[in-house]
């Protein structure tokens, strides 16, 4: 095993350096400075202060030229058969003991796990699970400690936010607005603001009634529903308070994020730094150094030391200490040879194991197995020889002739380091380095000086890589990451679109107007009645007065052969038989045209004797028969499509009454759509039966009545056969919801593997850089897949700038929802919640299964094929607990919860439960079934927590948009409306025009006008605090980036 031992000299040197991390093992106390007084270490006084130079020299001697054992000698690995014989002999002479190897491997497992050494027993023991706090886990690294503190405190914040949102959640539960055929959609829909309020059993049949609905779902007797003041508390009376509570909860969330970054993290880092003395306390890391000096390149260290000695003496408060700098260590350029060399070591380790197995097989007489292993050994020899040839050129170059990538400078006192860092603070930014004074430059080159990280935070094998090559790799990884994200987005977009129910085109030959059932009288008396194609009742030629009419009819028969019977002068009037016979249910009049016409507005003139307070228009495909006995029993509601109820402005002149299809679906069985009406609607829909609101409503009502058995085959009853297409589409929608949630989880796992490869290929210099890169890539991809893409795919963007033409390839904007409506919360919101639940399960459970199930099974299975100590140790080494991965997954859940919790406050409870589960499961996995993680710095957690204000900003945007929807969350204008008009550039008059156009169906999809109008809704009483937070966040981020780019150095 001599060649294997010699190969790992580099690794042993690095491990020895990392083990000698504390100052008491590196130098004597008087050499380090006053800060290290009392620290023992005299016995190690001959060692160099930080060991960096030691590692540099050990690395060079181990690989190139000065190795006493000549690892690169080709003769050593030339004859694999001779090696096999030698190993075989050694195997027989040593008395191979599998039990001893296994015992050592298990000891190695305990030693490398998150254990502590019991000095009394000499055994490595696991820390107690219940009494170990995040603070006591600080010995695993300040990053690990901060992560668990963050999750614990985030759970407490979610608990407080849950308490604040309890009134909103309670009012949502007490509502009755959601009635979906899917039980899953019903459950989550009723927990959202889509369920806020209560309509009578007959429904809120007008926009005014919908905005003026009651807050509680208490069904009153029918005779009380007709009273005007039976509702003591209306939705619009509580929305301003619910919006205020939501604003307070998100302010609490933002305050926590700012406090944790600005106060908590610095305090923990300061306490940790004061409790431990480490090499980083005395060392700076210098970048942008000249690669080669024009003169005396071989004396690079001395020149760099003289430069910083001169900088210290040139300060305003000069340092007159010729021994201020203890050591200068250069990072030489080996063009990535160190990475190749460590790769060779791994191959040699695998080769050793294969040779031992081959010798064991030959000794047992298993020639076929031995022959197969010899082929494996030969292949590995070929790879090792290839690496040796690639290293041959680098081995001929001496250290003094190599270029310099960066350098570490160690000072005798910590204040010397702080003075240098303060003097070079502007050099951290490329823009300010251009103005760097000449006295701070080295050989005319601008320097970037930062505080050195801890030795365990360095990837030594990557430090020698050329900076420009590393930047090129980062650029390639960025492009590849973007392309992979695009590909995954296309895949997810193809399964996440949730179909909405399109509106039925209201073009009919027959139109009927009736006294609405909730009016105070059954009488209907008209002097005039006009229908318009224009939504504003403009007489532009498309009116009932110019359309060819067949007849005017009521329950008694044909009234007139044309519309001249109602001329609008009241010299000729029409009165229903309900005026003389109350309760006859015949207070209606209809008109039949020669061809189909679309009606969007109407005007009515009543005689004022018995005015109807509410009117309803019906669109009929055909008129009833002319027989009087048939007309007397004909009910418009059973044969025609109902429009929304409208209220005339006065007892005589109605004004312009908008005609909008009533898409509400009655919940009272007495008002269910008749089978005959549904059959007629299906015939009228032709090849697109699902486009009929009447048929859809009928099928929903039947599914609610007959439960889940209605949508599953066989379809035996007439109703089931009529709704066969609807049932199949509903079943596909359920499968699509589950598939969309599952696809997100699977692709997030695929992205984890892909990004791990990309990040390793970047050749980053420190563990912290790698962790930050992994955190950013994983969080961005997971949040895009989980929280954003589903919303964008189901949105309806009818107009977008030409330069965004590519979004159609992602199916973005091709959905059916242009607003956060009740249907959106019921369908898309449910899918989001299910996706979050699956993501939580995927985040918490698999790591535990891998640690406690997969790893032991893997060790038991592979230990028979591992016959060297190193190979067996590798099998028994516990999996690594990945901080950036867990932080990215936690941030993804937190972002999704916070972003949509305004409309779905139940998500706060989900967030609280996740934090509790994540805290204990992560703690269990780390302390019991993971190897000791790298010493993560605080930068990783700081980077993650620093993004929390972005989550709050997204919350204000989504919540204010939902709270501004006057159908879901009605409220009056606040005093901030003038401010909103000036900021968003839209007036109230233009707002009313846009909103009315969308309500009438003249405009659809998300347009710039629609966005401006909905932004103005932020000034409602229910969203005014959220609007202020939204605007303040916009200003904050503009100022923040200005500060980062220009003002931070000052």
């Amino acid at each position: 095993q001599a060649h294997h031992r010699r190969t790992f000299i580099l690794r042993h040197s690095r491990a020895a350096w990392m083990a000698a991390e504390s100052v008491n093992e590196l130098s004597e106390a008087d050499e380090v400075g006053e800060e290290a007084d009392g620290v023992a270490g005299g016995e190690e006084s001959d060692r160099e202060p930080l060991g960096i130079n030691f590692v540099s020299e050990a690395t060079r001697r181990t690989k190139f030229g000065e190795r006493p054992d000549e690892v690169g000698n080709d003769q050593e690995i030339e004859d694999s058969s001779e090696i096999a014989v030698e190993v075989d002999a050694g195997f027989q002479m040593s008395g191979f003991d599998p039990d001893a190897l296994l015992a050592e491997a298990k000891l190695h497992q305990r030693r490398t796990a998150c254990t502590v050494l019991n000095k009394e027993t000499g055994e490595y023991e696991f820390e107690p699970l219940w009494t170990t706090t995040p603070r006591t886990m600080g010995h695993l690294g300040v990053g690990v400690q901060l992560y668990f503190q963050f999750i614990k405190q985030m759970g407490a914040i979610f608990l407080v936010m849950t308490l604040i949102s309890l009134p909103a959640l309670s009012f949502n539960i007490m509502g009755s607005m959601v009635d979906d055929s899917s039980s899953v959609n019903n459950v989550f829909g009723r927990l959202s603001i889509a369920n806020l309020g209560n309509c009578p059993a007959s429904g809120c049949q007008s926009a005014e009634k919908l905005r003026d609905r009651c807050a509680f779902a208490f069904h009153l007797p029918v005779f009380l529903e007709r009273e005007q003041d039976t509702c003591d508390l209306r939705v619009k009376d509580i929305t301003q308070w619910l919006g205020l509570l939501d604003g307070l909860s998100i302010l609490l969330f933002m305050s926590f994020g700012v406090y944790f970054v600005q106060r908590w993290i610095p305090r923990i880092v300061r306490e940790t730094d004061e409790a431990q003395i480490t090499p980083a306390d005395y060392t700076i890391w210098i970048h942008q150094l000249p690669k080669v000096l024009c003169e005396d390149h071989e004396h690079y260290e001395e020149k760099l030391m003289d430069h910083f000695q001169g900088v210290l003496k040139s300060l305003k408060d000069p340092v007159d200490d010729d021994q201020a700098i203890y050591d200068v260590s250069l990072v030489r350029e080996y063009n990535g040879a160190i990475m190749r060399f460590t790769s060779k070591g791994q191959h040699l380790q695998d080769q050793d194991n294969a040779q031992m197995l081959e010798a064991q097989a030959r000794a047992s007489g298993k020639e076929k197995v031995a022959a197969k292993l010899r082929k494996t050994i030969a292949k590995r020899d070929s790879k090792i020889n290839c690496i040796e040839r690639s290293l041959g050129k680098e081995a001929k170059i001496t250290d003094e002739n190599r270029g310099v990538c960066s350098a570490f400078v160690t000072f005798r006192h910590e204040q010397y380091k702080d003075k240098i860092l303060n003097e070079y603070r502007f050099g951290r930014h490329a823009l300010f380095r251009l103005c760097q004074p000449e006295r701070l430059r080295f050989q005319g080159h601008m320097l970037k000086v930062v505080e050195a990280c801890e030795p365990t935070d360095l990837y030594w094998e990557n430090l020698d890589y050329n900076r420009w090559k590393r930047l090129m790799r980062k650029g390639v990884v960025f492009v590849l990451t973007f392309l992979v994200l695009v590909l995954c987005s296309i895949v997810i977009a193809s399964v996440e679109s949730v179909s909405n129910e399109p509106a039925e085109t209201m073009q009919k030959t027959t139109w009927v107007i009736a006294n609405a059932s909730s009016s105070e009288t059954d009488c209907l008396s008209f002097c005039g009645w006009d229908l318009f194609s224009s939504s504003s009742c403009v007489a532009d030629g498309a009116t009932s007065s110019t359309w060819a009419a067949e007849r005017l009819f009521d329950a008694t028969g044909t009234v007139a052969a044309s519309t001249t019977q109602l001329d609008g002068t009241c010299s000729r009037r029409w009165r229903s038989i309900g005026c003389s016979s109350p309760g006859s249910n015949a207070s209606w009049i209809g008109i039949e045209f020669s061809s189909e016409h679309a009606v969007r507005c109407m005007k009515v003139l009543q005689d004022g004797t018995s005015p109807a307070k509410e009117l309803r228009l019906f669109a009929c495909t055909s008129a009833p028969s002319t027989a009087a006995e048939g007309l007397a029993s004909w009910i418009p509601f059973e044969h025609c499509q109902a429009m929304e109820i409208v209220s005339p402005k006065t007892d005589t002149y109605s004004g312009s009454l908008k005609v909008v299809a009533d898409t509400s679906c009655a919940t009272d069985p007495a008002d269910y759509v008749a089978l005959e009406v549904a059959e007629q609607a299906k015939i009228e829909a032709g090849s697109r039966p699902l486009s009929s609101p009447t048929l859809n409503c009928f099928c929903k009502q039947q599914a609610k009545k007959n439960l889940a058995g209605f949508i599953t085959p066989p379809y035996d009853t007439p109703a089931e056969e009529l709704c066969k297409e609807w049932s199949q589409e509903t079943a596909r929608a359920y499968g699509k919801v589950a598939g969309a949630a599952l696809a997100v989880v699977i692709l997030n796992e695929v992205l984890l593997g892909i990004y791990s490869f990309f990040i390793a290929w970047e050749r980053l210099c420190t563990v912290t850089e790698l962790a930050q890169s992994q955190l950013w890539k994983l969080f961005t991809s997971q949040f895009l897949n989980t929280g954003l893409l589903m919303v964008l795919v189901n949105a309806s963007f009818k107009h977008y700038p030409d330069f965004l033409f590519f979004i159609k390839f992602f199916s973005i904007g091709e959905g059916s929802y242009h607003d956060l409506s009740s249907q959106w919360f019921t369908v898309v919101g449910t899918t989001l919640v299910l996706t979050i639940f699956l993501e939580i399960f995927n985040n918490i459970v698999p790591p535990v299964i891998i640690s406690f199930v997969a790893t032991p099974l893997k060790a038991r299975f592979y230990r028979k094929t591992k016959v060297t100590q190193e190979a067996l140790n590798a099998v028994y080494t516990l999996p690594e607990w990945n901080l950036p991965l867990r932080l990215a997954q936690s941030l993804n859940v937190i972002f999704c919860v916070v972003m949509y919790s305004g409309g779905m406050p139940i998500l706060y409870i989900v967030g609280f439960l996740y934090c509790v589960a994540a805290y204990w499961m992560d703690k269990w996995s780390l302390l019991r079934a993971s190897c000791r993680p790298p010493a993560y710095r605080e930068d990783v957690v700081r980077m993650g927590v620093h993004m929390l204000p972005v989550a709050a900003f997204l919350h204000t945007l989504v919540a204010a948009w939902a709270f501004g929807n006057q159908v879901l969350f009605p409220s009056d204008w606040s005093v901030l409306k003038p401010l909103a008009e000036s900021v968003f550039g839209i007036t109230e008059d233009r707002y009313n025009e846009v909103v009315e156009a969308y309500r009438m169906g003249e405009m659809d999809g998300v347009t710039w006008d629609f966005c401006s109008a909905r932004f103005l809704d932020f000034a409602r009483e229910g969203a005014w605090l959220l609007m202020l937070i939204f605007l303040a966040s916009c200003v904050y981020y503009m100022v923040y980036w200005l500060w980062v780019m220009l003002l931070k150095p000052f």
Side-chain angles (χ1 to χ4, degrees):
Q1 305 295 324
H3 64 283
H4 169 69
R5 177 181 58 80
R6 292 192 296 268
T7 303
F8 281 87
I9 289 177
L10 170 64
R11 291 191 175 183
H12 295 164
S13 300
R14 178 189 174 197
W17 189 89
M18 290 190 295
E21 183 177 338
S22 61
V23 173
N24 62 334
E25 293 181 10
L26 296 177
S27 63
E28 293 183 337
D30 56 344
E31 291 182 340
V32 174
E34 295 177 357
E35 290 83 357
D37 285 342
V39 179
E43 59 184 13
E44 299 290 343
S45 60
D46 57 336
R47 185 176 298 177
E48 297 180 39
L50 285 184
I52 298 177
N53 198 26
F54 162 74
V55 172
S56 176
E57 289 298 311
T59 302
R60 182 180 64 82
R61 288 195 298 270
T62 305
K63 298 191 303 298
F64 313 115
E66 296 184 17
R67 295 165 295 180
D69 299 301
E70 286 296 322
V71 175
N73 193 339
D74 292 338
Q75 185 64 32
E76 181 183 47
I77 54 175
E78 185 175 343
D79 190 350
S80 59
S81 61
E82 291 182 9
I83 293 176
V85 172
E86 293 174 3
V87 171
D88 185 31
F91 167 77
Q92 296 178 1
M93 293 174 60
S94 62
F96 174 70
D97 187 359
D99 294 335
L101 289 179
L102 184 59
E104 178 62 27
K106 291 183 178 180
L107 179 60
H108 169 80
Q109 183 186 75
R110 281 268 182 160
R111 188 167 50 242
T112 57
C114 298
T115 54
V116 292
L117 178 62
N118 189 326
K119 295 182 180 180
E120 296 180 358
T121 62
E123 295 180 354
Y124 290 91
E125 299 177 351
F126 289 109
E127 297 185 65
L129 185 63
W130 298 105
T131 59
T132 301
T133 64
R135 186 175 295 275
T136 58
M137 286 191 285
H139 68 92
L140 299 175
V142 67
V144 173
Q145 175 183 346
L146 287 171
Y147 168 78
F148 281 97
Q149 290 174 333
F150 167 68
I151 291 297
K152 187 176 181 179
Q153 296 178 25
M154 190 70 252
I157 293 297
F158 273 139
L159 179 60
V160 176
M161 296 173 77
T162 299
L163 297 177
I164 294 176
S165 65
L166 277 181
L169 185 59
S170 301
F171 280 112
N172 292 343
I173 295 174
M174 289 187 292
S176 64
M177 302 300 294
V178 171
D179 185 33
D180 196 87
S181 57
S182 166
S183 57
V184 177
N185 290 355
N186 258 335
V187 170
F188 292 108
R190 289 176 178 177
L191 295 173
S192 70
I193 62 172
N195 199 48
L196 184 61
N198 170 56
C199 286
S202 57
C204 295
Q205 298 167 342
S206 65
E208 291 77 12
K209 280 192 172 183
L210 193 61
R211 287 191 289 267
D212 201 44
R213 64 185 183 272
C214 291
F216 300 100
F218 296 145
H219 294 287
L220 301 175
V222 175
F223 69 91
L224 288 179
E225 286 186 359
R226 296 179 177 274
E227 300 295 333
Q228 295 296 320
D229 297 320
T230 59
C231 183
D232 295 329
L233 185 63
R234 302 189 181 277
V235 171
K236 64 182 181 181
D237 297 329
I238 62 174
T239 50
Q240 57 179 324
W241 303 109
L242 298 183
L244 181 63
L245 290 176
D246 184 80
L248 293 177
S249 67
I250 206 62
L251 281 176
L252 172 65
F253 178 82
M254 294 179 67
S255 301
F256 164 72
V258 174
Y259 167 77
F260 199 90
V261 170
Q262 301 297 332
R263 296 293 183 184
W264 187 268
I265 292 180
R267 183 168 68 86
I268 296 299
V269 172
R270 184 171 59 253
E271 291 175 357
T272 304
D273 187 60
E274 291 174 354
Q276 301 176 11
I277 300 177
T278 63
D281 296 332
Y282 300 89
T283 307
I284 60 173
W285 193 357
I286 309 165
H287 303 273
Q288 311 292 330
L289 285 167
K291 184 177 180 180
V292 179
L293 297 182
C294 298
E295 298 179 358
D296 295 334
H297 180 73
E298 60 275 11
H299 298 110
Y300 205 115
E301 291 94 335
E302 292 83 354
K303 288 182 174 291
L304 190 60
M305 181 181 292
D306 293 340
H307 170 74
F308 280 100
Q309 288 279 14
V311 172
L312 286 172
K313 293 179 179 180
S314 65
L315 299 175
K316 293 182 179 180
D317 183 16
V319 175
D320 190 14
D321 185 356
D322 294 335
Q323 302 298 321
I325 298 176
Y326 191 86
D327 182 67
V328 174
S329 297
L330 301 179
V331 177
R332 301 281 185 175
E333 183 176 0
Y334 292 99
N335 294 315
I338 300 178
M339 176 68 76
R340 297 198 297 273
F341 190 77
T342 54
S343 175
K344 175 190 171 183
Q346 183 62 48
H347 285 305
L348 286 172
Q349 178 179 318
D350 295 339
Q351 186 192 51
D352 290 341
N353 188 74
Q355 288 171 347
M356 294 287 286
L357 287 174
E358 189 270 343
Q360 189 178 12
R362 282 193 292 107
S364 303
K366 300 178 181 179
E367 288 298 329
K368 290 185 178 180
V369 176
K372 185 180 293 186
L373 288 169
R374 281 193 290 270
K375 291 182 180 179
T376 302
I377 293 170
K379 292 180 180 178
R380 207 164 294 280
D381 281 340
S382 177
K383 292 181 180 179
I384 293 172
N385 288 330
C386 181
I387 295 175
E388 284 293 327
R389 287 192 295 270
S390 68
L391 293 174
K393 181 180 178 180
E394 293 295 332
K396 298 176 183 178
I397 306 175
T398 62
D399 212 17
E400 290 76 11
N401 293 325
R402 294 184 180 277
V404 174
C405 300
S406 60
F408 295 93
V409 175
T410 307
F411 298 88
R412 289 188 178 273
H413 297 282
E414 188 174 4
Q415 57 265 35
Y416 296 168
K417 180 207 70 172
D418 295 336
K419 289 178 180 291
I420 291 294
L421 289 176
N422 180 68
E423 196 69 12
Y424 278 92
R425 65 188 185 278
F426 296 102
R428 300 171 191 172
H429 304 267
L431 180 63
F432 288 94
R433 277 200 300 272
L434 298 175
C435 305
Q436 195 171 76
E438 190 64 31
R439 68 180 181 85
L440 299 181
R441 301 190 182 194
F442 177 65
Q443 300 286 317
H445 285 257
M446 299 169 289
L447 300 182
K448 178 182 178 182
V449 179
V450 297
E451 185 174 5
C453 58
E454 299 297 340
T456 53
D457 196 36
L458 288 169
Y459 279 118
W460 298 97
E461 57 268 32
N462 291 343
L463 293 182
D464 69 327
Y465 207 68
N466 183 277
R467 183 171 64 94
W468 295 108
K469 290 182 180 180
R470 183 180 291 112
L471 290 176
M472 181 192 69
R473 287 191 174 220
K474 286 184 178 181
V476 172
V477 167
F478 176 81
V479 174
L480 292 177
T481 300
F482 177 77
L483 293 178
V484 169
L485 201 57
V486 168
L487 180 61
C488 292
S489 300
I490 294 175
V491 173
I492 293 179
S494 64
V495 298
E496 284 193 342
S497 178
V498 183
S499 298
N500 195 4
E501 299 169 0
E504 186 177 11
T505 303
M506 288 296 114
Q507 282 194 326
K508 304 295 181 180
T509 59
T510 304
W511 295 84
V512 176
I513 188 171
N515 190 347
S517 59
S518 60
S519 298
E520 296 177 354
T521 176
D522 292 334
C523 180
L524 192 62
S525 179
F526 283 171
C527 299
W529 177 33
D530 291 316
L531 304 176
F532 301 83
S533 290
S534 170
S535 60
S536 56
C537 286
V538 176
D540 55 358
T543 67
S544 57
S545 60
T546 60
W547 298 337
E550 296 290 336
R551 62 186 178 123
L552 193 69
F553 60 93
D554 61 10
T556 61
T558 301
V559 177
S562 68
T563 59
T564 56
Q565 176 66 26
L566 300 178
D567 55 11
T569 62
C570 276
S571 59
R572 305 176 63 183
R573 70 186 66 185
W574 168 87
R575 293 174 65 84
S576 68
I577 59 176
C579 296
S580 55
S581 303
S584 62
N585 199 26
S587 297
W588 57 265
I589 185 172
I591 184 171
E592 180 183 5
F593 296 104
S594 302
S595 58
E596 292 183 346
H597 293 283
V599 175
R600 298 186 177 88
C601 187
M602 70 175 179
K603 293 180 179 180
V604 172
L605 181 62
Q606 303 184 79
D607 62 6
T609 56
S610 299
K613 300 299 183 182
E614 293 178 330
L615 301 171
R616 186 195 287 273
L617 190 67
F618 295 87
C620 311
T621 304
S622 59
S625 64
T626 57
E629 59 274 11
L631 289 170
S633 60
W634 190 79
I635 301 176
F637 212 109
E638 297 180 356
H639 301 274
C640 307
Q641 171 67 47
M643 305 293 110
E644 289 185 357
I645 293 178
V646 292
S647 300
K649 293 182 178 179
T650 65
D651 290 343
T652 54
Y653 180 63
S654 67
S656 299
L657 303 177
K658 306 298 182 182
V659 177
V660 181
D662 185 2
T663 56
S664 63
C665 200
T667 58
D668 190 345
D671 296 326
Y672 276 6
V673 177
L675 178 63
E676 175 190 349
V677 177
E679 290 174 340
Q680 183 63 33
K682 186 173 183 180
I683 295 173
E684 296 171 2
S687 61
R688 298 175 62 247
L690 298 179
S691 65
S692 171
T694 303
L695 180 61
N696 285 329
C697 181
F698 171 79
C699 295
K700 286 182 180 180
Q701 292 167 344
Q702 295 300 314
K704 181 181 179 182
K705 179 180 178 181
N706 298 285
L707 304 179
F710 182 79
I711 67 172
T712 57
Y715 305 109
D716 298 328
T717 66
E720 290 176 347
E721 181 64 29
L722 183 66
C723 296
K724 181 178 179 180
E725 293 87 352
W726 180 89
S727 298
Q728 292 173 344
E729 182 63 27
T730 301
R732 279 193 292 269
Y734 292 162
K736 213 170 188 180
V737 169
L742 190 60
V744 170
V745 174
I746 294 174
L747 281 177
N748 284 343
E749 289 300 309
V750 172
L751 287 173
L752 173 60
I754 294 175
Y755 288 159
S756 297
F757 172 77
F758 285 171
I759 293 168
W761 192 75
E762 277 185 292
R763 304 290 294 271
L764 299 171
C765 294
T766 66
V767 175
T768 299
E769 285 183 339
L770 185 142
Q772 289 177 324
S773 178
Q774 190 177 22
L775 170 63
W776 175 249
K777 290 180 175 65
L778 290 175
F779 166 72
T780 303
S781 60
Q782 291 187 359
F783 180 59
L784 178 62
N785 294 339
T786 307
L788 291 180
L789 200 58
M790 186 178 298
V791 177
L792 296 176
V793 166
N794 288 284
S796 175
F797 296 153
K798 297 300 182 182
H799 307 284
Y800 48 82
D802 294 337
F803 66 87
L804 294 179
F805 68 93
F806 58 86
I807 67 173
K808 65 180 181 181
F809 298 109
F810 305 99
S811 300
I812 291 177
E814 296 183 1
S816 305
Y817 303 95
H818 68 272
D819 204 351
L820 298 182
S821 61
S822 174
Q823 187 74 4
W824 187 95
F825 279 103
T826 304
V827 179
V828 181
T830 298
T831 307
L832 277 170
V833 174
L834 292 178
T835 303
I836 293 172
F837 274 122
L838 279 177
E839 195 67 31
I840 291 174
F841 178 85
N842 183 65
N843 292 351
I844 295 176
V845 177
V848 176
I849 295 177
I850 292 174
S851 299
F852 290 95
V853 179
T855 299
L857 291 177
K858 175 186 173 184
R860 181 175 293 273
F861 179 79
Y862 281 106
R863 71 183 183 185
K864 296 180 180 180
T865 63
K866 307 298 181 182
V867 292
T868 62
Q869 192 64 66
E870 290 82 1
L872 199 59
N873 287 351
V875 170
Y876 270 84
T877 300
L878 295 174
E880 181 179 332
W881 188 79
N882 195 328
L883 172 63
L885 172 61
R886 288 298 300 122
L887 185 56
Q889 292 172 336
S890 298
L891 285 174
N892 178 37
V893 174
I894 292 172
F895 264 65
C896 291
V897 166
V898 173
M899 183 174 178
Y900 299 106
S901 56
M904 296 180 284
I906 188 65
L907 288 176
Y908 286 137
I909 300 178
V910 175
F912 167 71
L913 295 177
Y914 169 78
C915 289
V916 173
Y919 177 82
W920 286 107
M921 298 295 277
D922 283 342
K923 190 177 178 182
W924 185 30
S925 178
L926 174 64
L927 297 181
R928 289 290 185 271
S930 299
C931 66
R932 184 176 293 270
Y936 292 108
R937 297 176 60 186
E938 73 280 0
D939 304 77
V940 183
V941 179
R942 178 186 285 117
M943 176 183 178
V945 181
H946 194 72
M947 293 188 287
L948 291 187
V950 179
F953 174 77
L954 294 175
H955 173 94
T956 59
L957 180 61
V958 175
W961 194 281
F963 292 173
N965 189 329
Q966 294 306 290
V967 175
L968 295 179
F969 211 76
S971 60
D972 297 327
W973 293 109
S974 71
V975 296
L976 297 178
K977 187 183 71 171
L979 172 64
E981 288 178 331
S982 61
V983 171
F984 301 122
I986 185 172
T987 62
E988 185 179 0
D989 292 338
R990 178 55 182 163
Y991 165 87
N992 292 329
E993 294 176 3
V994 173
V995 171
E996 192 64 25
Y998 271 88
R999 196 178 76 87
M1000 297 302 300
E1002 296 178 352
M1003 299 174 64
D1004 63 344
V1006 180
T1007 62
W1008 293 115
D1009 287 339
F1010 178 76
C1011 290
S1012 299
R1014 294 293 283 109
F1015 274 125
L1016 187 61
D1017 277 323
F1018 288 14
R1020 298 279 183 176
E1021 288 182 346
W1024 66 268
L1025 181 56
L1026 292 171
M1027 184 189 75
L1028 292 180
I1029 300 174
F1030 173 78
L1031 296 178
S1033 299
C1034 293
V1035 174
Y1036 164 77
Y1037 279 109
M1038 288 189 292
V1039 174
Y1040 171 78
W1041 286 111
L1042 178 65
W1043 176 74
V1044 168
M1045 300 301 296
L1046 299 177
L1047 304 177
K1048 187 176 181 180
F1050 295 98

